Amino acid sequence: MILTPKNLAVACLLVGAAFGAAAQATSPAGLWRTIDDSSKKDKSLVRIVEANDVYTGKVEKIVDPDSPKDAVCKDCSDERKDKPILGMTIIRNMKQSGDDKTVFEGGDILDPNNGKVYKSKMKLIDGGSKLEVRGFIGISLLGRTQTWVRAE
């Protein structure tokens, strides 16, 4: 193959895309579709962002047609009580777990349906296209896991 400026540009784009996909696969930062455990319907879009190696997640959009768009967290017991769920931070203080670049823990997650805050653990799966989000009380065995799907 003869190296031309056009071939070089295409090669650079492919290498850049590969590095971008690899970087994305090791970070939960991005937009995620949450899925209801029982109905299996999309519930919301949660945007996870990173600042100083700490991850937080906010409800960016409520997509469940059966959920009111102006819902508030009436059962919350902290500063989020009676605040709109849309725009609410539901994931706080998550950090990468040691050497495993796919696991994040140490923070908490709020279930706005019941106002309860749980310890949390997140794990990237399927090459970073899905995120297992586990909320638990005490030890990780006592909880439940949802699988979120990357929306972007």
Side-chain angles (χ1 to χ4, degrees), residues 16 36 39 44 80 107 109 116:
D36 184 79
S39 71
S44 65
R80 296 173 280 194
I109 187 164
K116 293 184 180 176

Side-chain angles (χ1 to χ4, degrees), residues 96-108:
Q96 185 178 320
S97 177
D99 291 335
D100 190 340
K101 296 191 183 308
T102 64
V103 176
F104 303 82
E105 57 191 355
D108 58 52

